[in-house]
Amino acid sequence: MADSSAPAPAPPTEEIANLHLDEVTGERVSKTELKKRQKQRAKEADKAAKAAAAPPKATSSKPKNSAGQEEDLNPNQYFEIRSRQVNELLQTPETNPYPHKFQVTYEDDVTFHKDYEHLKPGEIIQDKELSIAGRIYSIRASGAKLIFYDIRTAADTRSIGTRLQVVCQAQHAKEGGVPFEKQHLNLRRGDVIGITGYAGRTNPKNKESGELSIFATQVQLLSPCLHMLPGVKFPFSDSEQRARMRYLDLLWNDRSREALWQRSRMVRYIRDFFHERRFIEVETPMMHAIAGGATALPFITHHNDLDIDMFMRVAPELFLKKMIVGQFGKVFELGKNFRNEGVDLTHNPEFTSCEFYWAYADVYDVMALTEELVSSLVKELTGSYKTKFTTQHGEVLEVNWEAPWRRIEMIPELERTTGEKFPPYEELHTDATNEFLQKVCKKMNVECPPPLTNARMIDKLTGEFIENQCVNPTFIMEHPQMMSPLAKYHRSKKGLCERFEAFVCRKEIANAYTELNNPFDQRLRFEEQARQKDQGDDEAQLVDESFLNSLEYGLPPTGGWGLGIDRLAMFITNNYSIREVLAFPFLREDKSAPKEKFAAEVVDVQPLPEEGIPHK
């Protein structure tokens, strides 16, 4: 963690020389920018002078608050004026807009509504003062002595934060405190405020029941928002803007906030599920000497003190199986993996997975546990086994997560869909099969990028003709051995292995198998991977002598499994882009952004090529 008390490094002398002090905001900006600001201020001063010389207008019943006029400003003007206002408040200790603390009695709106839902219209409980804090989303005034704020409290495990009304009347202002008008003069949309007052329900004339509210005796500014919040005039919907300003997206878009809230509930449920079944949660290294545990291209980093290159982990599998060797019977890990691969709607270079290993179990036990976990998880989060998923192109898929799930054997299904009889299972790794697969790909118009290994071509055919069938959760089973270097051979079908991949909405969410625990066979599989790497497959695994040595001490019969947390969250929250379920997704450098701009500007940029249509 960085030392916040350490002084910031001084900018280069040449850079300082090219900057000029803006005496209004206290910033140092370029000469061009300073002239632009001075010109704008001159226009505003001239406009103000003309307005002062004009005949007085009729007295308004609205409070003396310039928020209404500020709505007509552009984001740059708003930021400058708001910054000036806040800097003025900072000059007086009693009006400090950034206090150190505000003691709340209600941290969330859910508890508040639960405690006071029984109140009748017009009823106010004035014998119990309470305090609550939140962010202003809208302001309404009815005369100079009555102001309404709609605030939202922070999200927690029970709620993403819903609307709560604050009623501010001059007659309720605390005696001896800050005057009513002064309390509200500098409050704007987006500000974080603390409210002290009483619970009550409004008494509207034309409604059967009033709205549960807080009747404020005092309102305190806790943290001002210097920028103009999105609205009708300046919307905030472009997918690229939303990803680059994720904090604003979460602040403004309920759907974005709810997706991450549901993801948090999902992770908690999965942890509880394994804890209840006596699995032990463990942590394994993030940096490996050899990238293993999955067929993937790793990120390379460097350890300075040891002067060696290391790999960011692509999977925790090999370490977790070492835990099983070490007499841990049930282990799981929920954490990050890193793969140096493409970025698209369903892939992020940094992603979260959950892996478990279960001694004395096999792939069929794991299959049943997968159905139980995922089906119950969906029911818990959505209230039903049936959900809807909208694809990038607007197709709405009806998904039934209830067990049992469909099971498809890979090679027989490829034979059915291609109309070709595949070679015997034990010959699927041969050169003759390679020629056969190239002919099948050509016949079926399937393009497989090089290197054209048997494993890659079968995987490509599976993606084209089997995965596209898997809308409801489906197990694709019994992969060829050369596609699965860590899976145990099939007990009755030579050449295949005991493995499944779980698919839903045509995308993989889980991968599992009966673990290979024969060290002699495992060495041969690693050597086959090395041969594929020599053929140009950068994703093939290396020979891991440390792992082979651990197998020589005896790995019990074991079932293992990995689940993609991000993918599953996409389907449960109905988001076709992985960005929507990541708090801070990977982004390319924004080369279209100007080098010098106000922080308030919302710059239009082009979406990433893979993103397709913007989020709705």
Side-chain angles (χ1 to χ4, degrees):
M1 182 173 174
D3 182 5
S4 59
S5 64
T13 306
E14 181 182 350
E15 182 180 339
I16 295 176
N18 292 330
L19 298 179
H20 299 262
L21 178 65
D22 184 334
E23 296 180 352
V24 175
T25 65
E27 299 174 280
R28 285 191 169 275
V29 296
S30 67
K31 185 176 181 180
T32 303
E33 178 59 34
L34 182 60
K35 285 185 176 180
K36 188 198 317 184
R37 295 186 183 190
Q38 290 171 340
K39 186 176 179 180
Q40 180 63 37
R41 289 173 189 143
K43 286 183 179 178
E44 291 175 0
D46 184 55
K47 185 177 180 180
K50 290 180 180 178
K57 296 181 180 179
T59 303
S60 172
S61 62
K62 292 184 178 181
K64 296 179 181 178
N65 183 314
S66 59
Q69 293 86 335
E70 289 170 356
E71 292 177 359
D72 296 326
L73 302 175
N74 64 44
N76 288 3
Q77 293 169 330
Y78 184 94
F79 173 71
E80 186 170 316
I81 292 172
R82 187 72 168 131
S83 297
R84 190 184 305 132
Q85 291 172 347
V86 172
N87 276 314
E88 289 174 358
L89 293 175
L90 285 168
Q91 304 309 311
T92 309
E94 56 268 23
T95 59
N96 178 20
Y98 298 101
H100 288 70
K101 180 178 174 63
F102 181 80
Q103 185 66 48
V104 297
T105 54
Y106 282 92
E107 294 183 348
D108 64 280
D109 53 288
V110 174
T111 307
F112 176 80
H113 278 87
K114 181 180 179 181
D115 288 351
Y116 297 105
E117 193 64 42
H118 64 278
L119 295 181
K120 299 176 181 179
E123 185 179 359
I124 302 176
I125 302 179
Q126 294 188 326
D127 59 348
K128 183 180 179 181
E129 189 175 68
L130 57 87
S131 59
I132 196 165
R135 189 181 295 272
I136 298 173
Y137 276 74
S138 68
I139 304 174
R140 306 182 306 281
S142 179
K145 303 297 183 180
L146 177 60
I147 302 173
F148 296 88
Y149 297 105
D150 287 335
I151 69 165
R152 278 195 177 139
T153 55
D156 64 11
T157 57
R158 289 163 291 184
S159 168
I160 62 168
T162 54
R163 175 179 169 274
L164 182 63
Q165 180 171 268
V166 181
V167 180
C168 303
Q169 291 177 286
Q171 68 190 58
H172 290 143
K174 186 175 293 185
E175 293 184 8
V178 180
F180 180 83
E181 186 178 279
K182 193 172 182 180
Q183 286 183 42
H184 305 280
L185 181 62
N186 293 298
L187 300 185
R188 303 290 184 271
R189 288 177 67 232
D191 288 354
V192 179
I193 60 173
I195 305 103
T196 303
Y198 307 109
R201 191 178 290 277
T202 58
N203 189 16
K205 297 178 180 178
N206 300 321
K207 293 183 180 179
E208 294 182 2
S209 62
E211 182 170 354
L212 188 61
S213 309
I214 298 177
F215 288 78
T217 57
Q218 184 168 312
V219 178
Q220 181 182 359
L221 177 60
L222 303 181
S223 184
C225 178
L226 302 183
H227 294 279
M228 179 184 291
L229 285 188
V232 176
K233 189 175 182 182
F234 297 101
F236 189 66
S237 58
D238 179 81
S239 62
E240 185 78 6
Q241 292 174 355
R242 292 173 52 250
R244 293 195 181 279
M245 302 178 72
R246 191 65 157 143
Y247 48 88
L248 182 55
D249 181 39
L250 296 175
L251 169 67
W252 188 247
N253 293 320
D254 289 348
R255 194 167 185 271
S256 297
R257 193 164 55 255
E258 184 169 8
L260 294 187
W261 181 71
Q262 286 282 55
R263 178 195 171 108
S264 175
R265 294 181 65 209
M266 186 180 88
V267 169
R268 180 177 177 178
Y269 184 92
I270 292 171
R271 275 202 166 96
D272 291 344
F273 181 91
F274 285 114
H275 287 150
E276 288 169 4
R277 286 154 183 80
R278 299 170 64 186
F279 280 77
I280 299 172
E281 184 170 9
V282 298
E283 296 180 9
T284 60
M286 286 286 185
M287 293 189 295
H288 298 171
I290 293 178
T295 302
L297 186 64
F299 284 97
I300 301 175
T301 186
H302 187 78
H303 192 294
N304 289 338
D305 191 47
L306 300 179
D307 194 25
I308 58 171
D309 285 340
M310 301 192 75
F311 302 96
M312 301 299 293
R313 79 173 182 195
V314 295
E317 176 169 340
L318 303 187
F319 283 96
L320 291 173
K321 284 194 275 194
K322 288 179 181 179
M323 298 289 292
I324 299 293
V325 172
Q327 211 59 27
F328 280 73
K330 293 179 177 181
V331 296
F332 79 98
E333 181 171 11
L334 210 161
K336 293 286 188 182
N337 298 315
F338 307 87
R339 298 185 183 178
N340 199 355
E341 300 167 352
V343 181
D344 58 30
L345 290 173
T346 59
H347 292 86
N348 197 69
E350 171 187 345
F351 65 98
T352 304
S353 75
C354 179
E355 293 202 14
F356 79 78
Y357 292 83
W358 180 6
Y360 312 111
D362 66 9
V363 71
Y364 303 104
D365 298 312
V366 173
M367 200 176 296
L369 193 67
T370 303
E371 289 176 327
E372 182 185 359
L373 166 62
V374 178
S375 295
S376 62
L377 169 63
V378 172
K379 182 68 180 294
E380 173 70 19
L381 264 61
T382 69
S384 171
Y385 289 117
K386 296 182 179 180
T387 63
K388 293 183 179 181
F389 178 74
T390 306
T391 69
Q392 176 189 4
H393 305 293
E395 180 185 4
V396 178
L397 304 179
E398 304 278 349
V399 186
N400 185 355
W401 301 80
E402 190 170 8
W405 295 357
R406 182 187 178 194
R407 304 182 181 192
I408 299 176
E409 295 179 9
M410 179 183 285
I411 300 301
E413 185 65 16
L414 285 178
E415 290 180 334
R416 186 188 71 80
T417 55
T418 63
E420 295 287 340
K421 178 65 178 175
F422 276 55
Y425 297 150
E426 60 268 28
E427 298 177 11
L428 289 174
H429 67 287
T430 64
D431 292 338
T433 300
N434 186 279
E435 294 178 8
F436 166 80
L437 290 172
Q438 290 192 46
K439 291 178 181 178
V440 172
C441 288
K442 185 175 181 180
K443 170 191 170 183
M444 304 304 295
N445 295 317
V446 172
E447 292 187 11
C448 179
L452 297 179
T453 63
N454 296 18
R456 289 172 67 89
M457 285 188 284
I458 291 177
D459 185 61
K460 191 68 177 178
L461 289 168
T462 301
E464 292 289 333
F465 300 110
I466 302 181
E467 293 173 13
N468 284 335
Q469 304 176 31
C470 305
V471 174
N472 288 333
T474 304
F475 294 121
I476 299 177
M477 307 165 52
E478 301 183 350
H479 297 56
Q481 279 186 220
M482 45 71 181
M483 294 180 68
S484 312
L486 297 168
K488 195 162 188 175
Y489 56 85
H490 199 286
R491 64 195 75 182
S492 61
K493 299 177 182 178
K494 188 176 180 180
L496 302 183
C497 60
E498 294 191 355
R499 175 186 176 187
F500 73 77
E501 291 177 290
F503 281 78
V504 67
C505 298
R506 305 174 183 137
K507 297 294 180 181
E508 179 191 353
I509 59 169
N511 184 27
Y513 29 85
T514 303
E515 300 298 333
L516 180 58
N517 60 345
N518 180 335
F520 307 107
D521 193 359
Q522 183 64 81
R523 183 175 291 278
L524 292 175
R525 302 280 192 91
F526 277 156
E527 289 174 355
E528 169 61 22
Q529 286 284 295
R531 189 175 74 86
Q532 292 184 22
K533 187 173 281 293
D534 290 339
Q535 289 179 306
D537 189 350
D538 292 334
E539 297 181 350
Q541 299 183 51
L542 295 169
V543 178
D544 190 327
E545 292 293 346
S546 174
F547 176 66
L548 289 170
N549 188 54
S550 73
L551 291 186
E552 292 169 1
Y553 283 88
L555 173 68
T558 300
W561 172 92
L563 171 76
I565 297 295
D566 309 320
R567 288 268 184 92
L568 185 59
M570 288 170 57
F571 301 130
I572 291 178
T573 63
N574 191 13
N575 282 294
Y576 65 77
S577 173
I578 197 171
R579 283 181 171 188
E580 302 300 330
V581 296
L582 300 176
F584 297 98
F586 174 85
L587 296 169
R588 290 185 175 88
E589 180 185 0
D590 183 9
K591 295 181 179 179
S592 65
K595 293 182 179 180
E596 183 180 291
K597 65 184 180 68
F598 283 107
E601 288 181 325
V602 179
V603 180
D604 288 329
V605 290
Q606 296 300 315
L608 297 183
E610 295 87 353
E611 276 297 297
I613 60 175
H615 173 85
K616 298 293 184 186

